[in-house]
Amino acid sequence: MAIIGTSVQEAGAWLRDGWPVGIPTETVYGLAANACDREALLRVFETKGRPLTDPLIVHLASQEDLNRFAVDVPETAYALLEAFSPGPLTLILPKAPILPDEVSAGLTTAGFRIPSHPLTLELLRSLDFPLAAPSANLFGRTSPTTADHVADQLGERIPYILDGGPCRIGLESTVLDLSGPEPLLLREGGLTAESLEAFLGRPLQRPNRLAQADQAQRAPGTLAHHYAPSVPLFLFADDMAIIDWLNHHDHSKQGPQAPALLRFNQALMDSRCAAWNQEILSPEGDLEQAAHQLFGALRRLEKSAGIILAQKVPNTGLGAAINDRLQRASMKPL
Ligand code: TXA
Ligand code: MG
């Protein structure tokens, strides 16, 4: 079983030996390995059960490191890092040959970010290699936002988890592709699209639906059923839709098979679900708090309910990223 501790030295020692280690970031916990060591990278894919076709994000200590591991870096990249890093922003850029193909799943580009968690920044500064780190969950499942979440799914497979407390943001980084002619928002995340658009002074392009199959390679990991709890989750646009579901489905199951509700800011007032567990993400209706609570709530619900009925949150600010995760966690609409 993994040791959960706060020693940057010990985490560094395992990483230098080629072992994957759980690390805290401000977004979610990562499963880190030496980004320049092929064998260590393969262990990360194997540990998560992740297909080799899904590229990893390279975590750097500083902007200067970008010049060693990326090439043809546009001015916009430096400007964005200046404004938003360390922080929840991943930039896709052409990669330098020093990074092996395993990092980028054979693509000529790689994702780069400078995380802001102080323990992980200290760790990165103490190493002479960057850290490739996907989220520290089994492939396709919900991302971990505490060291215990990491231990729950991966504790038997890794030697050490660096415990940095609960993740401040609770949603993965925003992924922006700067390798093409126009910036392309590949994944909504902890840095809002509105902030990026205000900074860039124009609306952001997103991969368009028709081109999605083509862009499966450019935006890998953004299409599949993902972030899924181990019980079915159904996502509803509003309370009317949930009530309609109650009217047409068997909701009489009790105990661990009972349905549960994932709510934004208030419980659903309906006598038929009076006895159900209702997780409320933010009683104050604050999207940052809701983001912070999301993955933990999904983990609690998957352990205590037979089915999760989730409500969309307002689609502004961090709400867009929350809804994106809920959408991809959900089964096809009923
Ligand atoms: O917040 C985060 O980004 C967390 C923490 C640990 O830093 N990491 C994370 O990694 O979410 P992961 O592996 O769960 O998501 C990485 C995603 C890929 O699935 C893909 O969507 C995108 O980043 N990505 C990475 N490299 C890419 C590339 N070369 N081109 C396009 N997308 C890429
Ligand atoms: Mg992930």
Side-chain angles (χ1 to χ4, degrees):
M1 193 65 189
I3 295 170
I4 300 181
T6 56
S7 167
V8 167
Q9 288 73 18
E10 197 166 343
W14 286 110
L15 288 163
R16 284 190 198 89
D17 272 358
W19 288 96
V21 165
I23 58 163
T25 84
E26 76 282 24
T27 59
V28 300
Y29 273 73
L31 182 65
N34 179 348
C36 299
D37 176 345
R38 287 172 198 274
E39 278 181 34
L41 293 169
L42 290 176
R43 282 194 192 111
V44 166
F45 285 97
E46 197 187 311
T47 303
K48 280 192 61 139
R50 179 179 175 114
L52 292 166
T53 48
D54 198 354
L56 308 177
I57 291 171
V58 178
H59 296 67
L60 304 170
S62 69
Q63 262 195 61
E64 290 70 59
D65 283 352
L66 195 62
N67 299 325
R68 285 180 58 207
F69 297 100
V71 294
D72 299 332
V73 180
E75 276 311 313
T76 319
Y78 293 111
L80 284 165
L81 290 181
E82 200 58 57
F84 299 113
S85 275
L89 174 64
T90 294
L91 299 179
I92 306 297
L93 296 164
K95 76 178 189 68
I98 185 174
L99 288 176
D101 283 345
E102 282 78 359
V103 165
S104 57
L107 298 173
T108 54
T109 56
F112 297 94
R113 89 176 191 93
I114 305 170
S116 71
H117 195 288
L119 273 188
T120 288
L121 274 179
E122 189 186 331
L123 174 65
L124 283 166
R125 290 186 189 121
S126 75
L127 298 168
D128 56 6
F129 48 81
L131 292 174
S135 50
N137 50 277
L138 291 171
F139 181 68
R141 301 283 298 281
T142 47
S143 303
T145 53
T146 66
D148 283 342
H149 289 170
V150 181
D152 244 14
Q153 286 186 7
L154 303 180
E156 304 287 346
R157 306 174 185 209
I158 60 177
Y160 196 76
I161 301 167
L162 186 60
D163 187 354
C167 299
R168 182 170 59 79
I169 297 173
L171 289 175
E172 298 81 353
S173 61
T174 301
V175 178
L176 187 68
D177 188 348
L178 293 182
S179 69
E182 284 293 320
L184 195 59
L185 183 66
L186 297 186
R187 179 173 76 180
E188 306 264 3
L191 178 63
T192 63
E194 288 94 330
S195 312
L196 280 171
E197 289 177 335
F199 183 82
L200 295 168
R202 60 198 150 126
L204 273 175
Q205 301 209 28
R206 291 157 164 88
N208 83 54
R209 281 181 174 277
L210 285 176
Q212 269 193 358
D214 286 352
Q215 286 177 343
Q217 269 303 91
R218 198 163 171 207
T222 58
L223 299 177
H225 190 56
H226 221 78
Y227 307 106
S230 57
V231 299
L233 180 148
F234 295 103
L235 182 59
F236 298 89
D238 52 35
D239 288 355
M240 289 284 285
I242 301 183
I243 306 247
D244 190 52
W245 187 94
L246 288 170
N247 291 339
H248 292 98
H249 292 81
D250 173 19
H251 49 77
S252 60
K253 293 207 172 80
Q254 306 284 326
Q257 286 312 309
L261 291 166
L262 180 63
R263 306 285 298 166
F264 174 45
N265 61 350
Q266 49 182 286
L268 183 68
M269 295 301 179
D270 187 295
S271 57
R272 290 168 293 185
C273 42
W276 298 358
N277 183 8
Q278 301 207 27
E279 284 273 348
I280 297 170
L281 291 174
S282 171
E284 290 92 57
D286 174 28
L287 288 165
E288 287 187 14
Q289 187 184 22
H292 182 75
Q293 298 293 337
L294 177 69
F295 286 132
L298 284 172
R299 281 182 185 239
R300 284 192 294 280
L301 291 176
E302 73 180 353
K303 288 186 176 158
S304 62
I307 169 174
I308 302 169
L309 308 180
Q311 172 192 30
K312 278 195 175 169
V313 305
N315 207 48
T316 54
L318 284 182
I322 297 173
N323 286 335
D324 167 78
R325 303 305 186 270
L326 287 173
Q327 188 73 57
R328 284 195 273 138
S330 70
M331 315 291 286
K332 295 263 172 289
L334 287 168

